[in-house]
Amino acid sequence: MKITHSWTKHTAKLLRPLLLLLPLSMLLLSSGCATVGHEFPAGQVSSIHIGATTQSDVYTTFGSPWRTGIDNGMKTWTYAKYYYSLFSDGSTEDLVIKFDKRGVVAAFVFNTTKRAK
């Protein structure tokens, strides 16, 4: 009887961490999705005009960029939202804007997986 009791205590001690991880694992597997970036007003992309729209205009319309960088010596701002899912189609939208030395839009590209209506 003593051996069974000892074995049960030892087994319970070993299984406790696994039992704590089980609900977390089930939650992750059931959701099966991830989001990277943040929302931005993609419908406002048409307000951007090369050679006319300033960095300040972009900030007013789109807010803080999700990511910043340099491309061929030009400052870049990236706005993006990427949604990935294991069980359904994901969706992506990104806007990359390049500014010249005066802080005016020199080029931009907008990509989306959403279909036009």
Side-chain angles (χ1 to χ4, degrees), residues 48-54 57 98-100 102-108:
I48 302 171
H49 300 286
I50 295 171
T53 305
T54 66
D57 296 333
K98 294 181 187 181
F99 298 97
D100 65 18
R102 299 173 299 135
V104 175
V105 174
F108 70 95

Side-chain angles (χ1 to χ4, degrees), residues 38-47 60-63 79 93 95 110:
H38 56 76
E39 292 281 340
F40 67 97
Q44 296 296 316
V45 171
S46 62
S47 70
T60 299
T61 303
F62 296 97
Y79 297 88
E93 287 187 314
L95 169 64
F110 173 69

Side-chain angles (χ1 to χ4, degrees), residues 87-102:
F87 306 109
S88 64
D89 290 338
S91 64
T92 64
E93 287 187 314
D94 54 57
L95 169 64
V96 179
I97 305 169
K98 294 181 187 181
F99 298 97
D100 65 18
K101 292 179 184 192
R102 299 173 299 135

Side-chain angles (χ1 to χ4, degrees), residues 28-71:
L28 289 173
L29 286 174
S30 67
S31 65
C33 63
T35 302
V36 179
H38 56 76
E39 292 281 340
F40 67 97
Q44 296 296 316
V45 171
S46 62
S47 70
I48 302 171
H49 300 286
I50 295 171
T53 305
T54 66
Q55 220 171 334
S56 178
D57 296 333
V58 171
Y59 186 84
T60 299
T61 303
F62 296 97
S64 295
W66 173 59
R67 195 171 60 187
T68 61
I70 303 290
D71 183 10

